[in-house]
Amino acid sequence: MPNHSNEKLPVHLQQPEAQPAAMSQQHKGNNPIIILLSILLLAAALTYLVGAGSFERDGNLVVPGSFQSVEKNNSLSNLWRINDDPAQAQPVSVIQMLLSIPQGLERGANLIFMVLIIGGMFGIMTKAGAVTAGLERLLGALRGNVYLLIPSLMVVFAAGSTFLGLASEYLLIIPLMVEMARRLGLSNLMGLAILTIPVKAGFLASVTNPVALTVAQPLVDVPVFSGISMRLVAFIVFTLVGIAFMMLMIKREGFDPTIKIEFDSAKLSTRHALMLSTLAIGIGLLVYGSTTFEWRNQQLTAFYIALAVILASISGLGANGAADAFVEGMRKILLAAILIGVAFAIAVTLQNGQILDTVIFQLTSMVGEDNPLLAVQGMFVSQLLLDFLIPSTSGQAAVSMPILGPIGQLVGVSPHTTVLAFLFGNGITTIFTPTSGTLLAYLATAQVSWTSWARFVMPLVAIYIVLAILMLVMAVLIGY
C-alpha cells in the first residue's frame, strides 16, 4: 500500500479507500431518471400546446420552404385515447407516452449494449488489478504532476475529437481517467471532466471532424473540410480555455500539489503488462477501425466483446471469476440503459405528436433577415435550442442546414460561417443536455449524476457561449 510522506494529509488523501462513500454523495439531489421523465412529460404536454406541421423531405434532408401546418385536434380527451387515427394529427396520449420508453430503448439499443460491454470489460481489468497497477506506474513516472499530466491528456483527447470525430469511442477511456483521479485524491467528477471537456471542445471546433462536416458542409455547397483556418483558431481557443477551467476546478476541489504522494514504481507483473498492452493495442485498432472502416455502435460493441474475451483469458481469474467480474462491471452502469432509453423516448414523443418540424420551423425563423451580425447570432441560438430536441450532430445538420444555408445567402452570412454557427450551437449544448445519449453514457460509465455534472460545467458553458458569439462576429467581419 503506497505511503504518504506527510502524516497530516487532507482527508481525501488520507483515505482513498473511502471513495465509494464520496461517490454516493454525488448522487444526492434529483435522480437523473426523475429529470429525464420530467422532460418527457414536458414533451408530451407540448404536443397539446404546439401545432402540428411537417416539412417535405428528400431522404433525411428537409426541403427548404416546404413547411406546412397540419390540422390537429388538441382536445384533452386525447389523453386517454387508446386507438390512433393515422389519417389525422393527434397529440400524444398517456399510452403513447409510456410506449415511447420501450421504443426509445429500442432506438438506443446499440449504444446501451456498447456501454454495458465496456463496463463488463473494465470489471475484468479492475478485478485483475491491471488498471490500478498501470496507473501507479504512470503516476510514479510523472511523480503525480497533474499540471503536466492532465493538460497533456486533454490535448490528446481534444485532437482525437476535432480531427477524427471520436466521441463514443472514448467511453473505453473513462474508467481509466476516473481511477486515475481517485488515485490522486480527486472525485469521479474530475476524472470524467478530464476527458469530457476536451472531447466537447474538439467537437465545438470540428477542424476535420467527419461526423459533422461530411453532412453539414455539402448542404451549403462548400467542399468537405474546407474553411479550416477559423475552425483551427476556435479549436485552440476552446481547448486552452477548457484546460484552464479544469486546472482551476482541480485547485478548488482542494488538490494540494505540494503534498508528496509515493507511488509504486516496481516493475509491472507479466500478466498486468500483457493486459495493459492488449488494451493499448485495442485502443489503436479501435481508432483505426472507426476512421478507416467507419465502424458504428454495432461494430464497436462486437470489437469490445472480442477485447473482453482476450483480456479475460489473460487475467488469470478463471472462467467463473472473469464472468463474475464482467457481470459486476455491467451492474455498476446498468442505470445507463434506462437513462439512454428515456432520452431517446423524448424524441419519439415529439415525432409522434408531429410537433418536431413545427419547433424546427419556429427556431429557424429566429434568424434575422436584414443584418448579417444579428442573423449569425440567430443561427447560433437556434442551434443551441434545437440540440435539446435533436442531440445527434448529423441529424441536426440534416434538418437545419438546408434551411439555414439559403437564409445565410440572403442576409450576407457566408456558407462557412453558417456551418460555424451550427458547430458552435450543437457543440455547446451537448456539453450538458440531458437528452444526449452519448453524454448520459459518459456519466453512467463514470458513475456521476447529471445534476452534479451540470452544476460543475455550467460556468464553462457560459464562457464558451461568449467566446462563440465573439468568434462568429469576427467571422462575419473578416468575411470568413
Side-chain angles (χ1 to χ4, degrees), residues 262-348:
E262 293 181 7
F263 299 95
D264 188 354
S265 57
K267 185 178 178 181
L268 283 171
S269 69
T270 301
R271 192 182 301 279
H272 287 162
L274 189 56
M275 290 186 74
L276 292 170
S277 298
T278 300
L279 179 64
I281 294 170
I283 292 172
L285 291 174
L286 174 70
V287 173
Y288 179 78
S290 298
T291 54
T292 305
F293 303 115
E294 297 184 354
W295 287 352
R296 293 297 176 257
N297 288 346
Q298 279 190 347
Q299 292 84 357
L300 292 173
T301 302
F303 178 82
Y304 292 136
I305 292 172
L307 191 57
V309 171
I310 295 171
L311 289 170
S313 66
I314 300 171
S315 68
L317 297 174
N320 287 333
D324 289 342
F326 187 85
V327 172
E328 178 63 20
M330 287 198 298
R331 185 188 66 78
K332 290 181 179 179
I333 57 174
L334 191 58
L335 177 62
I338 298 298
L339 293 178
I340 293 170
V342 177
F344 277 99
I346 295 166
V348 171

Side-chain angles (χ1 to χ4, degrees), residues 44-356:
L46 286 175
T47 65
Y48 289 84
L49 302 175
V50 177
S54 64
F55 284 102
E56 293 180 16
R57 281 175 164 77
D58 181 7
N60 291 325
L61 306 181
V62 165
V63 177
S66 64
F67 179 80
Q68 289 185 339
S69 296
V70 177
E71 186 177 349
K72 182 169 71 171
N73 175 15
N74 284 334
S75 170
L76 290 177
S77 60
N78 285 295
L79 274 171
W80 315 111
R81 189 180 70 248
I82 297 177
N83 298 318
D84 296 326
D85 183 359
Q88 182 181 14
Q90 297 171 309
V92 170
S93 67
V94 172
I95 293 175
Q96 278 185 309
M97 184 182 68
L98 294 174
L99 284 172
S100 71
I101 296 178
Q103 290 169 358
L105 285 166
E106 184 178 347
R107 279 196 187 186
N110 289 336
L111 180 58
I112 290 168
F113 290 135
M114 183 171 69
V115 171
L116 291 174
I117 296 299
I118 290 173
M121 185 181 70
F122 270 94
I124 293 172
M125 292 199 66
T126 302
K127 185 70 173 179
V131 173
T132 302
L135 288 173
E136 281 287 308
R137 275 55 171 197
L138 173 63
L139 295 172
L142 295 172
R143 299 180 181 179
N145 187 348
V146 299
Y147 297 107
L148 172 63
L149 175 64
I150 292 177
S152 299
L153 288 172
M154 292 180 73
V155 168
V156 172
F157 297 148
S161 173
T162 203
F163 293 115
L164 300 176
L166 302 181
S168 59
E169 293 84 354
Y170 280 132
L171 282 167
L172 191 63
I173 309 296
I174 289 177
L176 295 174
M177 294 300 99
V178 169
E179 188 61 32
M180 183 186 75
R182 291 174 60 184
R183 183 61 189 87
L184 289 168
L186 299 170
S187 64
N188 284 25
L189 177 60
M190 291 299 172
L192 172 68
I194 291 169
L195 184 137
T196 305
I197 287 175
V199 168
K200 298 303 183 181
F203 251 82
L204 263 169
S206 289
V207 177
T208 59
N209 174 8
V211 176
L213 298 180
T214 55
V215 177
Q217 288 191 308
L219 293 178
V220 291
D221 295 323
V222 295
V224 176
F225 303 138
S226 61
I228 282 179
S229 58
M230 192 68 186
R231 296 198 303 275
L232 189 58
V233 171
F235 170 66
I236 294 171
V237 170
F238 286 131
T239 302
L240 290 178
V241 169
I243 291 172
F245 175 82
M246 189 68 219
M247 303 316 293
L248 177 62
M249 292 299 103
I250 288 175
K251 185 176 181 180
R252 285 190 177 181
E253 187 167 280
F255 180 79
D256 187 352
T258 64
I259 295 175
K260 301 298 182 183
I261 309 175
E262 293 181 7
F263 299 95
D264 188 354
S265 57
K267 185 178 178 181
L268 283 171
S269 69
T270 301
R271 192 182 301 279
H272 287 162
L274 189 56
M275 290 186 74
L276 292 170
S277 298
T278 300
L279 179 64
I281 294 170
I283 292 172
L285 291 174
L286 174 70
V287 173
Y288 179 78
S290 298
T291 54
T292 305
F293 303 115
E294 297 184 354
W295 287 352
R296 293 297 176 257
N297 288 346
Q298 279 190 347
Q299 292 84 357
L300 292 173
T301 302
F303 178 82
Y304 292 136
I305 292 172
L307 191 57
V309 171
I310 295 171
L311 289 170
S313 66
I314 300 171
S315 68
L317 297 174
N320 287 333
D324 289 342
F326 187 85
V327 172
E328 178 63 20
M330 287 198 298
R331 185 188 66 78
K332 290 181 179 179
I333 57 174
L334 191 58
L335 177 62
I338 298 298
L339 293 178
I340 293 170
V342 177
F344 277 99
I346 295 166
V348 171
T349 297
L350 294 173
Q351 291 171 351
N352 288 343
Q354 298 187 41
I355 67 170
L356 185 58

